[in-house]
Amino acid sequence: MTIMELREKRNKALDAAKAFLESHRTDKGVLSVEDDATYTKMEADIDALTNEIHRLERQEQREAEMNKPINTPLTSKPSGSTAHEKKTGRASDAYKEGMLTALRTNFRQVSNVLQEGVDADGGYLVPEEYDSRLIRVLEGENIMRKLGHKITTSGDHKINIASTEPAAAWIEEGGALQFSDAKFAQILLDAHKLHVAIKVTEELLYDNAFNLENYIIDEFGKALSNAEEDAFLNGSGVGQPLGLFAATGGGTVYKTVTKLSADDIMNLVYALKRPYRKNSAFIMNDQIIATIRTFKDGNGAYMWQPSYQTGEPDKLLGYPVYTSPFAPEDAIAFGDYSYYNIGDRGTRSFKQLTELFAGNGMIGFVAKERVDGKLILPEAVQILKISGTSTAKS
């Protein structure tokens, strides 16, 4: 009950007590014993309401005090500060404005400032802010960019991997030491070209009310993200990244079953070595999840743990579950995906398609990037394959 409601209730109680007192006085101007007891109770109720009002008022005062800002905001430039650092190159406002003008005019009005960002194929490198926003779109849509390890490179990136480890051995006092030679393998992150093209009508292009910048970033970002996620999961490694579920170079196939069961999921978790399990998660298709959600443990409790917090993944046996429409319907991955390395080569770029759609009043744009992805340690991800019928048993 609010303070206002309590005050109204107290006022009514006061009026009722006053009316009772005036109507129940005897000829001598006093109350009978019974009426006095009734009036005393009415006064006690009024006092209780008053105390509650005072309590809420004190609470409001405390909350107002707590909500006061801790620090006084700066209203002037701090003493000794220098002027705002001017951004240059692709980070400058001029470059961003030049790119937007070029897009709206089908690159008929190209500012000299854009020459700072010409790529090898004749396109224009996107402003740094655009590139950052494209990256954020990719990360938001692409589960592998969330889970994998991202590397930005200017050339081929070589990753050294220890293929043997030193082993300890017991020796007698004064015995000869035993040495083992460390061996290393090497994985190369290449740069596969990915591009996406969109068409925009001339009417929208020249309409200043149309948010061309956000539209292009969102459309390019989603299209690139979908193509990336498909390749990061299923890619062959030839002209595209090597996928997590690839038969050669992907995760380690733990087992192939004909009918998926609750025990298979449990065994998959423990097929992964303990050091990898602490940062592990499941990746699977929605079709498989529909089956797994019916599984129960030995105590009759459902193994599936739905998330009740926005943005948090559901869990299975305590581990996060990520779904992808590109994940195969006959396999489940479980592992530490930080061992999947994603190499971004250079910066994304835009290019116009001159005259290609001129006849139908459309303007074409192309965005392209160079990227590669590989699982550098296959044992870090275990794959459970499902063959034959998908009928499950719990």
Side-chain angles (χ1 to χ4, degrees):
M1 188 173 293
T2 65
I3 294 178
M4 185 64 68
E5 291 171 340
L6 287 173
R7 286 173 177 166
E8 291 177 355
K9 189 173 182 179
R10 185 180 62 177
N11 290 340
K12 291 180 180 179
L14 284 169
D15 292 337
K18 183 178 179 180
F20 180 87
L21 184 62
E22 292 176 351
S23 61
H24 287 73
R25 282 195 178 100
T26 65
D27 296 336
K28 297 180 180 180
V30 296
L31 296 176
S32 66
V33 175
E34 293 80 9
D35 291 340
D36 181 74
T38 301
Y39 185 77
T40 300
K41 185 178 182 305
M42 297 174 74
E43 284 186 323
D45 292 339
I46 294 171
D47 291 339
L49 289 170
T50 301
N51 291 336
E52 185 61 21
I53 291 171
H54 291 165
R55 187 178 297 112
L56 291 179
E57 287 175 343
R58 291 194 299 271
Q59 182 179 350
E60 280 190 347
Q61 291 175 356
R62 284 194 295 268
E63 289 178 353
E65 189 68 21
M66 293 294 292
N67 290 331
K68 288 183 179 179
I70 298 175
N71 298 318
T72 303
L74 293 174
T75 57
S76 61
K77 184 184 297 184
S79 59
S81 64
T82 58
H84 181 67
E85 182 179 355
K86 185 177 181 180
K87 296 180 180 179
T88 59
R90 292 190 303 109
S92 67
D93 292 337
Y95 192 95
K96 179 181 174 182
E97 292 172 1
M99 174 63 73
L100 191 55
T101 300
L103 289 171
R104 287 198 179 278
T105 61
N106 195 19
F107 285 83
R108 288 190 293 270
Q109 296 181 23
V110 179
S111 170
N112 290 334
V113 71
L114 293 186
Q115 299 305 315
E116 299 181 23
V118 177
D119 72 358
D121 295 331
Y124 295 94
L125 300 180
V126 301
E128 288 185 4
E129 181 183 344
Y130 284 20
D131 196 54
S132 174
R133 288 163 63 185
L134 275 173
I135 288 289
R136 285 197 289 272
V137 171
L138 292 178
E139 292 177 349
E141 299 287 335
N142 188 335
I143 63 170
M144 290 306 297
R145 280 196 173 269
K146 290 180 181 178
L147 302 174
H149 177 64
K150 298 178 289 296
I151 303 169
T152 301
T153 69
S154 57
D156 291 346
H157 188 80
K158 297 178 181 179
I159 303 172
N160 293 317
I161 300 174
S163 55
T164 62
E165 296 180 355
W170 298 99
I171 62 173
E172 296 291 339
E173 186 69 30
L177 295 176
Q178 299 178 9
F179 292 91
S180 58
D181 294 332
K183 296 181 180 179
F184 295 89
Q186 195 173 74
I187 290 180
L188 179 68
L189 281 182
D190 202 347
H192 302 297
K193 185 176 179 180
L194 176 64
H195 78 277
V196 57
I198 63 172
K199 293 185 292 184
V200 179
T201 64
E202 291 181 345
E203 288 81 2
L204 284 178
L205 189 68
Y206 303 140
D207 184 0
N208 289 328
F210 174 59
N211 197 332
L212 177 66
E213 178 184 349
N214 285 343
Y215 173 78
I216 288 180
I217 288 173
D218 288 342
E219 291 301 306
F220 281 160
K222 290 175 183 177
L224 291 172
S225 173
N226 289 337
E228 279 189 356
E229 185 169 313
D230 190 7
F232 292 157
L233 294 176
N234 308 301
S236 64
V238 179
Q240 59 183 253
L242 184 59
L244 196 70
F245 290 94
T248 302
T252 301
V253 177
Y254 150 66
K255 188 179 181 181
T256 300
V257 299
T258 55
K259 293 183 178 180
L260 185 62
S261 70
D263 288 344
D264 293 326
I265 302 297
M266 184 78 71
N267 293 333
L268 173 63
V269 169
Y270 289 99
L272 187 69
K273 292 182 179 179
R274 180 179 55 82
Y276 301 123
R277 289 202 299 265
K278 61 183 179 180
N279 295 318
S280 290
F282 291 94
I283 292 180
M284 63 185 76
N285 191 284
D286 281 330
Q287 297 301 317
I288 298 178
I289 287 182
T291 298
I292 291 179
R293 292 196 68 162
T294 65
F295 290 171
K296 296 180 180 180
D297 61 20
N299 298 320
Y302 285 102
M303 297 169 59
W304 186 267
Q305 300 167 321
S307 172
Y308 297 104
Q309 185 173 349
T310 304
E312 291 295 320
D314 297 321
K315 290 189 176 182
L316 180 62
L317 297 175
Y319 295 96
V321 179
Y322 293 90
T323 63
S324 170
F326 305 106
E329 295 184 10
D330 62 351
I332 299 173
F334 178 73
D336 184 347
Y337 306 107
S338 65
Y339 289 95
Y340 190 90
N341 281 203
I342 299 172
D344 290 312
R345 175 80 67 85
T347 305
R348 292 162 182 79
S349 64
F350 287 157
K351 186 178 181 180
Q352 83 279 19
L353 300 178
T354 308
E355 305 298 333
L356 184 59
F357 306 107
N360 54 12
M362 305 289 288
I363 306 298
F365 298 103
V366 172
K368 70 175 187 293
E369 66 176 12
R370 295 182 184 274
V371 66
D372 195 10
K374 286 184 175 71
L375 181 62
I376 62 172
L377 208 56
E379 71 173 20
V381 177
Q382 297 290 314
I383 306 291
L384 176 64
K385 302 283 290 185
I386 308 166
S387 64
T389 176
S390 60
T391 303
K393 59 181 180 179
S394 59

